[in-house]
Amino acid sequence: MMDDSPLQVLTVPTAPYPDQRPTTAGGLRRKVYVFQSRRNYLHNFIQSVFSSIDLRDRQGSTVVVGGDGRFFNRTAIEVIVQMAAANGVGRLIIGHQGIMSTPAVSCVIRKHKAIGGIILTASHNPGGPDGDFGIKFNTANGGPAQEAFTNKMFQISRSLEEFAICPGLRVDLSTLGGQQFDLENKFKPFTVEMVDSVESYANLMRNIFDFAALKELLSGQSYKIRLDAMHGVLGPYVRRIICEELGSPANSAVNCVPMEDFGGLHPDPNLIYAADLVEAMREGPYDFGAAFDADGDRNMILGKHGFLVTPSDSVAVIAANIFCIPYFQQTGVRGFARSMPTSAALDKVAKATKIELYETPTGWKFFGSLMDAGRLSLCGEESFGTGGDHIRENDGLWAVLAWLSILATRRQSVEDIMKDHWLKYGRNYYTRYDYEDVDLDAAFEMMEYLENTIVDKSFAGQRFAVGDKIYQVEKADNFEYTDPVDSTISRNQGLRIIFTDGSRIIYRLSGTGSVGATVRIYIDSYEKDDISQDTQVMLAPLATIALKISQLHARTGRTGPSVIT
Ligand code: G1P
Ligand code: ZN
């Protein structure tokens, strides 16, 4: 016989952790074993999330939950369901099997007017028992929580003494539809709705793009594409939208089964980790290729023979061709934005089209604030994130559909579109060096040394020569941003050196790594006419200068970057 007595709600004592400060993207990212081995590590963080939401807002509210399907996803969802019920949430909307892409969660939060969503992902970091796990909270606008909120979470986590949980509550993640639970406390019945993970997102895409035109491009024999979901969350989205609905052959989508360890792949869409795609594009007949990260918010765009469109260029090309996308014909274009380390290619388009351009710190939450205020339509980051104001996250598949819309309209190759763009606007050469797992103290000390060096009055005006190239410093600072909507000031957002010819060197410490420190050096330069050089050759002198000024090799003991993108 079924036991239908109300489920018990418990308050469990716990001890706080000092290290649950949210990352650049507003979440907690750690090795899986940290979540597994530290007592209540996950419970504490989730309680901090719920406790940061006013009880009045929380009670009876709707919260969305989804993850990229990586190892520990299921365990975490079971805990989240039990804790949401005990914390007064009225309804959870969960992606089927607990899996939903980050852009889809953003879309579903907005559609159902939820107070927010919990996303289980470590984005592009490897998964599996030896990989990373992450958890983040997006607020009612569908975007990563703003700093005021994540600061509150962090404060609460540092003195947390108990959490609320409903340990007997078991949810069935495999059956679509509603499930209702009676709790023994004052809260109303608690419901869980298991929803199709793709449906709401696919509907949104149908309203943004011209699916008939895309179908004409993709369903013919002549245009060939290859999309690589890297065994992350996006496989089912690619299959349903690109293959089933838009008619691209089934074999144009690869690695489309979500796996707990991503099949051993490192689901980070760049030339190094998406090497299989790059290889297939070089050898194969494909006109267009793209890869995505595990949770589906990042993208890499490739043309025939593996021609790479850098993310900084990608957003600029979409901006320059924005009216190939019906959505923007309807809404008009309110503004463009890029993160500070992203190249200024977008600025050139903004200037030519007389559209406002915002330069924000790294992280998607800054774009969200501008979008909520109706000031921003399209934005991007150099880290393979591109998106529009249809949601409050970067959106990998949206970026692909945006590119395909341009290709369907212009009927040129990716490479020709890019070259035309450079001919018209000039070219921003761009590269990023990442030094991963650097000793924390060494990294902080290097940044401190650098800041002291570059903010010194004598630094501006200094000249650096490499071979026959001479660069003179025009200005240098620690980037600081005042949000034009609410005037919030964000300091310490990266050290910038800008030279008189507009070239830049930027140094930042990553806010998303899971071990040690990751030092990023971003380098770019602008050429009006010299648009056909090799990027690494073009930027080599600036890279030498960047290493010289920072003394990176001596100060970190590293002799070369872990990854160059
Ligand atoms: C990285 C990227 C940044 C992106 C963030 C979240 O942050 O550089 O552009 O918004 O991931 O996806 P970082 O590790 O540099 O702090
Ligand atoms: Zn991601």
Side-chain angles (χ1 to χ4, degrees):
M1 218 185 88
M2 281 259 303
D3 174 14
D4 52 10
S5 53
L7 293 161
Q8 218 186 2
V9 178
L10 297 184
T11 303
V12 181
T14 189
Y17 288 96
D19 68 342
Q20 297 198 326
R21 182 192 281 285
T23 66
T24 315
L28 182 67
R29 210 175 278 183
R30 293 284 178 270
K31 288 280 171 209
V32 165
Y33 68 73
V34 173
F35 286 95
Q36 287 172 325
S37 60
R38 290 196 202 161
R39 193 176 162 73
N40 298 330
Y41 197 70
L42 174 72
H43 298 71
N44 277 22
F45 188 74
I46 295 168
Q47 187 58 53
S48 308
V49 170
F50 286 131
S51 298
S52 304
I53 308 167
D54 218 61
L55 184 63
R56 275 168 313 179
D57 298 332
R58 210 193 309 148
Q59 242 169 348
S61 67
T62 299
V63 171
V64 183
V65 183
D68 62 15
R70 69 178 61 223
F71 186 79
F72 207 64
N73 193 100
R74 187 170 278 270
T75 313
I77 290 206
E78 283 161 6
V79 172
I80 290 166
V81 175
Q82 295 176 343
M83 290 186 63
N87 277 281
V89 171
R91 177 169 72 140
L92 286 185
I93 299 178
I94 308 182
H96 191 216
Q97 303 288 13
I99 298 181
M100 201 187 272
S101 76
T102 293
V105 171
S106 184
C107 156
V108 174
I109 292 172
R110 295 168 68 77
K111 181 177 164 190
H112 292 276
K113 303 204 168 19
I115 54 161
I118 297 176
I119 307 179
L120 306 165
T121 177
S123 192
H124 48 287
N125 293 12
D130 300 324
D132 287 355
F133 184 74
I135 171 164
K136 71 168 181 164
F137 184 69
N138 281 20
T139 45
N141 73 346
Q146 299 292 332
E147 206 163 316
F149 189 93
T150 51
N151 282 343
K152 194 169 167 190
M153 270 162 60
F154 184 47
Q155 286 312 324
I156 291 173
S157 75
R158 291 205 295 186
S159 54
L160 198 75
E161 286 176 350
E162 56 187 32
F163 61 84
I165 191 160
C166 199
L169 201 162
R170 298 267 175 278
V171 67
D172 173 10
L173 295 176
S174 61
T175 310
L176 290 175
Q179 301 167 40
Q180 202 165 13
F181 304 89
D182 279 325
L183 310 184
E184 62 160 21
N185 62 5
K186 52 194 180 301
F187 302 129
K188 292 220 174 62
F190 171 72
T191 59
V192 172
E193 257 171 65
M194 299 299 306
V195 299
D196 181 292
S197 309
V198 182
E199 197 171 276
S200 297
Y201 179 81
N203 277 336
L204 182 62
M205 293 303 112
R206 259 178 232 123
N207 289 325
I208 293 174
F209 298 102
D210 180 349
F211 268 33
L214 293 174
K215 189 166 184 175
E216 202 186 309
L217 178 76
L218 297 178
S219 62
Q221 291 304 305
S222 57
Y223 202 77
K224 292 199 163 43
I225 68 170
R226 186 178 173 99
L227 303 185
D228 192 335
M230 299 183 85
H231 291 304
V233 73
L234 230 48
Y237 295 77
V238 171
R239 284 208 171 137
R240 287 256 290 275
I241 298 172
I242 303 284
C243 301
E244 285 165 31
E245 188 152 353
L246 297 176
S248 196
N251 64 6
S252 53
V254 299
N255 297 328
C256 279
V257 179
M259 287 185 179
E260 285 199 329
D261 66 347
F262 310 124
L265 296 175
H266 185 155
D268 192 354
N270 59 42
L271 295 179
I272 291 116
Y273 296 125
D276 282 356
L277 175 71
V278 176
E279 193 58 30
M281 294 295 297
R282 278 197 187 126
E283 315 264 295
Y286 308 104
D287 300 292
F288 177 87
F292 309 100
D293 73 337
D295 62 322
D297 55 358
R298 296 186 176 199
N299 73 93
M300 174 174 70
I301 303 290
L302 299 173
K304 212 173 175 68
H305 307 309
F307 177 87
L308 170 74
V309 179
T310 70
S312 299
D313 278 339
S314 177
V315 65
V317 170
I318 297 172
N321 295 278
I322 199 156
F323 294 120
C324 296
I325 301 168
Y327 173 85
F328 293 113
Q329 292 168 12
Q330 284 154 23
T331 63
V333 183
R334 299 172 174 134
F336 296 135
R338 63 169 172 85
S339 64
M340 180 275 282
T342 302
S343 94
L346 182 61
D347 306 32
K348 312 283 183 310
V349 180
K351 194 165 176 215
T353 51
K354 299 198 170 55
I355 288 169
E356 186 84 31
L357 183 280
Y358 300 91
E359 185 180 30
T360 62
T362 298
W364 212 260
K365 58 179 180 267
F366 298 100
F367 298 141
S369 155
L370 294 165
M371 287 174 179
D372 289 347
R375 294 166 78 152
L376 175 59
S377 294
L378 170 75
C379 54
E381 291 193 292
E382 48 66 42
S383 52
F384 295 86
T386 325
D389 63 350
H390 59 293
I391 54 169
R392 296 294 179 269
E393 281 282 1
N394 38 345
D395 188 342
L397 193 49
W398 175 93
V400 163
L401 292 167
W403 264 92
L404 291 172
S405 303
I406 296 169
L407 293 161
T409 308
R410 293 187 45 173
R411 301 278 164 173
Q412 281 174 289
S413 71
V414 171
E415 187 166 347
D416 285 347
I417 288 176
M418 198 66 248
K419 287 188 171 153
D420 278 0
H421 188 92
W422 291 333
L423 275 175
K424 184 164 175 191
Y425 297 99
R427 177 171 178 188
N428 288 78
Y429 289 88
Y430 189 83
T431 192
R432 184 176 104 183
Y433 287 18
D434 291 335
Y435 298 80
E436 291 167 1
D437 201 4
V438 171
D439 177 74
L440 269 174
D441 291 338
F444 280 110
E445 278 160 26
M446 185 195 84
M447 291 299 281
E448 200 182 312
Y449 163 78
L450 251 175
E451 179 161 11
N452 290 336
T453 308
I454 70 167
V455 301
D456 192 282
K457 285 210 167 50
S458 67
F459 192 70
Q462 275 193 34
R463 287 151 152 254
F464 295 89
V466 178
D468 57 358
K469 283 269 196 182
I470 299 172
Y471 294 89
Q472 185 170 14
V473 177
E474 183 171 295
K475 74 170 206 178
D477 63 8
N478 189 337
F479 182 62
E480 188 177 300
Y481 175 72
T482 306
D483 188 302
V485 183
D486 62 12
S487 303
T488 315
I489 299 175
S490 304
R491 298 197 165 85
N492 265 315
Q493 299 297 324
L495 301 174
R496 304 193 278 190
I497 303 172
I498 302 174
F499 297 94
T500 49
D501 70 343
S503 303
R504 301 186 307 167
I505 298 172
I506 293 148
Y507 306 85
R508 250 189 93 244
L509 292 185
S510 155
T512 61
S514 59
V515 278
T518 297
V519 180
R520 305 201 195 285
I521 303 181
Y522 312 78
I523 300 168
D524 71 333
S525 75
Y526 175 70
E527 297 289 333
K528 181 76 195 78
D529 303 306
D530 194 4
I531 58 167
S532 311
Q533 300 299 322
D534 176 81
T535 297
Q536 294 305 326
V537 172
M538 193 71 178
L539 297 178
L542 282 166
T544 306
I545 295 169
L547 293 173
K548 183 171 174 212
I549 297 175
S550 61
Q551 302 179 354
L552 184 136
H553 289 177
R555 288 177 175 272
T556 65
R558 302 293 285 268
T559 52
S562 326
V563 181
I564 297 181
T565 45

